[in-house]
Amino acid sequence: MKDIKKIAVLTSGGDSPGMNAAIRAVVRTGINEGFEMVGSLRGYQGLIGGDIVPLHSRSVSNIIQRGGTILKSARCKAFYEIEGRKKAHHKMQAMGIDALVVIGGDGTFTGARLFGKEYGVPIVGLPGTIDNDLYGTDYTIGYDTAINTVMEAVDKLRDTASSHDRLFIIEVMGRDAGYIALTSGIATGAEMILVPESPTYIDEMLYMLEKDWKKNKTSGIIIVAEGDDSGGALEVEKEINNRFPEFETRLSILGHIQRGGSPTAMDRVLASRLGNAAIMTLKDGVSGVMLGMVDNKIDLTSFEKSIKHHQQINLDLLDIARVLAI
Ligand code: F6P
């Protein structure tokens, strides 16, 4: 591997709280190790278009507590194409950028894997997504903040559900993963949690609901992951209304509120440790890997593995949630 002098950091895909803390750690560790640091704006789009900004220690002051990403983010379609990656490589060479730290999810690592293979560019990745769906890390940067955001929102909805004797059906994000739904569902004592990892049988769900109401429940919370096979919260609400017109239901789709906000201490520490380790990994001559935290220790997983193997969900927790909601 050629000597690394200049490193670019970028954030790509859906943003997540803690990305700024990760950028800060990457930049400051890089500077401390004697590298020149730059940022690519809007993920891979900045590489293709040469939208690169210098990053100094002071450029990342006062951002550890901020949600979003100061480098902006995008899902760059052009980088999925050979032509786009070629342009990005030309720009990197022209600007003297020797290595990359990419922060994002599976789309980001899919691009990074191809780029690294095609041009031998040293690249390491940090898991930045609220979905917690990447293999090779117990938690992704942003997940902890997202589940706390959901928890606060559901607690508020529970207050009004209880006052009005209503059943709230709440849809949370996670794409095709049920982590956010499962964890926030347990944390809020949801009556039911529907996740893509476990098939949803509508009749069974309706039967359980009826049982709950016979046990004098007068209000409740159903958390539905957006990727659940029921089709989402709207479909679930329709089924309930058809079978039990006497129930008063309300629908709430939490949406992008889950992606914003000041990161929790957990996310800031995770991002800081992984950001620091990213630079040390490149310095050690290692590339093509995502850095994760497994059992509180830094772990390296090839991009290929981190994308292909979905992080497994603990389905026993669904049963526990159900017992705790009787
Ligand atoms: O991957 C993060 C995520 O927020 C998913 O949970 C969600 O499905 C998706 O991104 C939404 O993407 P967009 O912001 O492009 O609408």
Side-chain angles (χ1 to χ4, degrees):
M1 211 188 278
K2 127 173 197 245
D3 253 11
I4 298 175
K5 293 195 180 69
K6 193 169 176 177
I7 302 174
V9 55
L10 60 84
T11 47
S12 148
D15 61 351
S16 67
M19 278 185 162
N20 279 327
I23 295 167
R24 172 179 175 270
V26 169
V27 169
R28 291 197 171 159
T29 307
I31 290 167
N32 194 50
E33 294 299 322
F35 297 113
E36 184 182 346
M37 300 301 298
V38 293
S40 169
L41 298 182
R42 296 177 183 82
Y44 294 119
Q45 217 165 286
L47 279 189
I48 294 173
D51 216 354
I52 306 292
V53 292
L55 292 173
H56 310 291
S57 267
R58 296 287 72 78
S59 328
V60 292
S61 295
N62 205 15
I63 64 166
I64 194 168
Q65 77 282 21
R66 282 172 55 192
T69 157
I70 58 161
L71 294 178
K72 298 187 178 280
S73 192
R75 302 188 196 278
C76 178
K77 292 219 172 71
F79 202 73
Y80 282 113
E81 309 294 328
I82 282 195
E83 230 8 75
R85 295 194 294 276
K86 196 170 161 189
K87 276 190 197 154
H89 186 240
H90 276 154
K91 274 277 161 14
M92 272 187 74
Q93 282 186 315
M95 302 183 104
I97 299 168
D98 307 305
L100 294 177
V101 177
V102 298
I103 308 170
D106 52 5
T108 307
F109 299 155
T110 303
R113 188 182 75 85
L114 292 170
F115 197 50
K117 269 196 169 168
E118 286 162 359
Y119 297 102
V121 176
I123 314 179
V124 294
L126 300 185
T129 165
I130 61 166
D131 300 340
N132 203 36
D133 56 348
L134 292 165
Y135 181 82
T137 189
D138 291 342
Y139 302 109
T140 54
I141 298 165
Y143 168 67
D144 187 61
T145 308
I147 54 177
N148 277 287
T149 301
V150 173
M151 184 182 74
E152 280 172 27
V154 175
D155 286 350
K156 287 176 178 144
L157 293 171
R158 170 83 79 181
D159 288 344
T160 174
S162 165
S163 307
H164 289 267
D165 291 335
R166 284 173 174 164
L167 176 64
F168 267 77
I169 300 113
I170 303 168
E171 185 172 295
V172 299
M173 277 187 169
R175 201 181 293 275
D176 52 359
Y179 267 94
I180 296 177
L182 179 59
T183 313
S184 62
I186 291 175
T188 55
E191 274 63 29
M192 245 164 250
I193 306 170
L194 311 183
V195 295
E197 290 82 353
S198 160
T200 297
Y201 302 109
I202 294 290
D203 279 340
E204 194 183 311
M205 185 198 77
L206 294 171
Y207 170 74
M208 288 198 290
L209 258 185
E210 197 174 18
K211 251 174 75 178
D212 279 353
W213 255 247
K214 280 186 181 153
K215 281 187 287 182
N216 295 330
K217 284 207 184 216
T218 55
S219 67
I221 298 287
I222 301 180
I223 304 266
V224 187
E226 63 176 347
D228 185 62
D229 58 344
S230 55
L234 189 60
E235 293 307 314
V236 171
E237 190 190 29
K238 273 189 207 155
E239 296 282 356
I240 295 171
N241 289 338
N242 281 342
R243 181 74 66 93
F244 305 114
E246 67 276 24
F247 284 6
E248 206 180 325
T249 61
R250 287 293 184 273
L251 176 77
S252 179
I253 297 177
L254 296 186
H256 285 78
I257 192 173
Q258 296 162 87
R259 289 247 293 269
S262 178
T264 58
M266 288 280 281
D267 272 329
R268 296 182 199 192
V269 174
L270 177 66
S272 301
R273 289 181 67 186
L274 292 180
N276 170 267
I279 294 293
M280 304 320 280
T281 304
L282 279 175
K283 203 180 163 199
D284 287 345
V286 179
S287 173
V289 292
M290 181 197 85
L291 286 93
M293 195 70 74
V294 177
D295 292 337
N296 206 25
K297 288 193 188 68
I298 304 280
D299 209 39
L300 306 183
T301 304
S302 71
F303 282 140
E304 201 163 358
K305 239 180 155 181
S306 74
I307 307 158
K308 271 197 184 152
H309 300 260
H310 235 243
Q311 159 104 303
Q312 289 303 307
I313 206 163
N314 181 356
L315 287 174
D316 293 346
L317 294 179
L318 274 183
D319 298 331
I320 294 175
R322 191 61 207 150
V323 170
L324 300 186
I326 56 172

